[in-house]
């Protein structure tokens, strides 16, 4: 049993939707702004992929984990934020920095507002009308990362 805060996806999402969206996104066919995050597995060392929808706020792309401390979050932390984002524009190396709760509030707000009523399918604790205080509490359960170009070697 694990102490991490994680909501597992249903069978349909895990077995059908995520693989389908991931396969399409890797071929440059993405619904909306969906991209595929590729990050080295923390135990296997194998590159793992997951389809995600980055949120653009103030010129910076962000990744949000509505399901909590998922494997991609744990892998990204273990990889020191080093990953690759694959989508319409090809593959791009990125460096991810996890935001604290206060910095995550505006990003979460933009994300749940963009989802509208569908936010309830991913979040059971916040929605488009949530206050900053509610979003700050939720940010502790829903990791948010800012994406940047990695430093040149």
């Amino acid at each position: 049993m694990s102490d991490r805060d994680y909501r597992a996806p249903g069978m349909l999402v895990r077995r059908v939707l995520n693989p389908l969206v991931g396969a399409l996104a890797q071929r440059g066919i993405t619904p909306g702004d969906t991209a595929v995050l590729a990050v080295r597995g923390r135990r296997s060392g194998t590159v793992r992929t997951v389809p995600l929808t980055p949120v653009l706020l103030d010129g910076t792309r962000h990744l949000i984990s509505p399901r909590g401390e998922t494997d991609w979050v744990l892998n990204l932390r273990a990889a020191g934020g080093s990953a690759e984002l694959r989508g319409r524009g090809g593959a791009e190396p990125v460096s991810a920095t996890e935001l604290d709760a206060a910095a995550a509030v505006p990003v979460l707000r933009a994300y749940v507002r963009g989802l509208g009523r569908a936010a309830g399918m991913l979040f059971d604790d916040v929605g488009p009308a949530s206050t900053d205080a509610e979003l700050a509490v939720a940010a502790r359960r829903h990791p948010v990362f800012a994406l940047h170009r990695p430093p040149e070697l």
Side-chain angles (χ1 to χ4, degrees), residues 66-142:
R67 297 192 180 281
E69 292 192 344
T70 62
D71 283 330
W72 74 260
V73 169
L74 299 176
N75 289 339
L76 191 56
R77 287 174 179 159
S82 179
E84 187 175 78
L85 204 59
R86 302 171 180 169
R88 289 183 185 157
E92 169 191 5
V94 294
S95 179
T97 304
E98 191 164 0
L99 303 182
D100 64 22
V105 166
V107 180
L108 278 173
R109 178 171 309 290
Y111 190 64
V112 296
R113 282 191 175 157
L115 291 171
R117 295 176 65 187
M121 293 185 334
L122 293 175
F123 295 92
D124 57 3
D125 51 355
V126 292
S130 294
T131 66
D132 283 355
E134 291 167 332
L135 289 167
V137 169
R140 295 183 193 108
R141 290 187 302 279
H142 305 287

Side-chain angles (χ1 to χ4, degrees), residues 38-91:
V39 63
R40 191 158 306 283
R42 65 193 178 282
R43 286 181 266 193
S44 69
T46 302
V47 173
R48 303 294 184 178
T49 59
V50 62
L52 298 169
T53 303
V55 173
L56 183 62
L57 186 65
D58 298 329
T60 300
R61 290 176 299 172
H62 300 83
L63 296 178
I64 296 103
S65 181
R67 297 192 180 281
E69 292 192 344
T70 62
D71 283 330
W72 74 260
V73 169
L74 299 176
N75 289 339
L76 191 56
R77 287 174 179 159
S82 179
E84 187 175 78
L85 204 59
R86 302 171 180 169
R88 289 183 185 157

Side-chain angles (χ1 to χ4, degrees), residues 3-23:
D3 291 335
R4 73 183 194 187
D5 187 7
Y6 171 65
R7 281 181 44 204
M11 182 77 72
L12 178 65
V13 171
R14 191 173 63 249
R15 300 278 183 182
V16 178
L17 294 178
N18 276 354
L20 176 63
V21 171

